[in-house]
Amino acid sequence: MVDWNDPDLEAKLGVLLEQLLYAILGLYGWEYIRSSHVEIALIRRQLPFRWPLLSYITARLSFLIVTILHATQSSPFYTNVDCPSMNFVILFWTNIAIGCSTTNLMIRTWLIWKTSYLLRLLLVLLSLGHWTLLTLCAALVLYGTHVAFMNTGYVMMSTSGVAMSYDLALLIFTIIGLLRMPSSSALWKTLVKQGVIYFVLNFLANLILLVLNRLNLNPIMNVIFGMPARLHLTEWSSRFSALRPIVKGLSCFSS
């Protein structure tokens, strides 16, 4: 039986976590530069701005800031930073990245239900609820309050749990909507690839985080899969080709 509270094991996990953070910084930094054609086109006014691009750009930039801050915090070189303030800033930008990434996924469902104003209203309300939770989480951490919602004393709905429930709802709406669309549609094929698959992967990533938090093996194990999950969420949700059908004039860009 592994003793997860063993100091030597926690020290090794701490080193592994630091190495993982630097690996994510390098991986995402390269991916950000490689796929920055949209931002460059907007700056050069070669691409007209549309509202879906706001969450797309913000999610990418926010997660880049998070990776840089994490790397700075874990730097072996001396850095004079206030840890509580740094942790709050990291949480703030992480929540923005999560919220915008989930909004990117919601846009895919929004595309499918273009004829149902009632469901679109429901999607907006769900998105606002998710953003409210993320904002509340940051506010409570700022004031030193632990964020947890208890149900009968056994089930804790953390932000990962709420995000997982939200993603599951989006997945269900997406599947139902796709069943109503002609399968020969190019949009249908894109949304099957970048909608359903991404929703499932994101759901599984949040499920792993929730399970580890419930197991509470040790503080490092509770968060070690957090950054990889956020990396994949940002990457999966920020595939530009799924936003292309509602952003005109993008035929010159590759996905």
Side-chain angles (χ1 to χ4, degrees):
M1 181 69 68
V2 178
D3 182 9
W4 293 100
N5 294 314
D6 179 58
D8 292 335
L9 178 60
E10 290 189 0
K12 293 178 181 178
L13 289 174
V15 173
L16 176 62
L17 178 59
E18 291 182 4
Q19 294 174 343
L20 182 62
L21 291 175
Y22 283 110
I24 289 175
L25 174 61
L27 177 63
Y28 186 72
W30 167 250
E31 174 63 22
Y32 187 92
I33 295 173
R34 190 187 66 83
S35 59
S36 60
H37 51 272
V38 177
E39 289 87 342
I40 294 174
L42 285 172
I43 293 174
R44 299 176 64 179
R45 297 186 178 181
Q46 296 176 340
L47 175 66
F49 181 80
R50 297 290 187 272
W51 67 267
L53 294 177
L54 181 61
S55 61
Y56 168 84
I57 295 172
T58 305
R60 284 163 46 84
L61 182 60
S62 298
F63 190 77
L64 181 64
I65 293 174
V66 170
T67 57
I68 293 174
L69 291 177
H70 269 301
T72 302
Q73 192 177 41
S74 303
S75 172
F77 303 103
Y78 175 76
T79 52
N80 186 18
V81 296
D82 181 25
C83 287
S85 300
M86 175 69 83
N87 289 335
F88 173 74
V89 172
I90 290 175
L91 175 65
F92 173 78
W93 285 109
T94 299
N95 284 354
I96 290 180
I98 294 172
C100 290
S101 297
T102 309
T103 301
N104 289 336
L105 294 176
M106 186 270 287
I107 290 174
R108 290 159 168 80
T109 309
W110 176 281
L111 280 172
I112 298 172
W113 292 93
K114 59 183 178 181
T115 59
S116 176
Y117 295 102
L118 183 61
L119 189 59
R120 282 192 165 189
L121 176 61
L122 177 60
L123 290 174
V124 170
L125 293 177
L126 288 174
S127 182
L128 290 176
H130 188 227
W131 274 103
T132 301
L133 175 66
L134 294 174
T135 304
L136 181 63
C137 174
L140 293 179
V141 169
L142 178 63
Y143 290 101
T145 306
H146 177 64
V147 181
F149 298 92
M150 303 302 296
N151 181 16
T152 67
Y154 296 99
V155 180
M156 181 181 68
M157 290 297 289
S158 63
T159 52
S160 296
V162 173
M164 186 175 65
S165 302
Y166 180 35
D167 292 336
L168 180 60
L170 291 178
L171 174 61
I172 294 173
F173 291 145
T174 299
I175 293 176
I176 295 175
L178 288 173
L179 293 175
R180 295 156 49 97
M181 295 177 61
S183 59
S184 59
S185 168
L187 177 60
W188 187 91
K189 296 177 181 178
T190 299
L191 290 171
V192 167
K193 178 182 178 182
Q194 299 198 359
V196 175
I197 295 176
Y198 288 2
F199 283 133
V200 171
L201 293 176
N202 188 40
F203 179 83
L204 293 176
N206 279 310
L207 180 61
I208 293 174
L209 287 177
L210 189 61
V211 169
L212 287 175
N213 275 276
R214 288 295 297 155
L215 291 176
N216 194 26
L217 300 175
N218 60 48
I220 298 177
M221 285 299 296
N222 289 348
V223 300
I224 195 169
F225 287 101
M227 282 296 286
R230 302 311 174 213
L231 169 65
H232 290 300
L233 170 60
T234 306
E235 279 299 297
W236 294 332
S237 69
S238 298
R239 294 298 178 183
F240 189 58
S241 57
L243 300 180
R244 185 178 297 162
I246 52 175
V247 182
K248 298 180 180 179
L250 303 182
S251 58
C252 58
F253 295 106
S254 60
S255 59

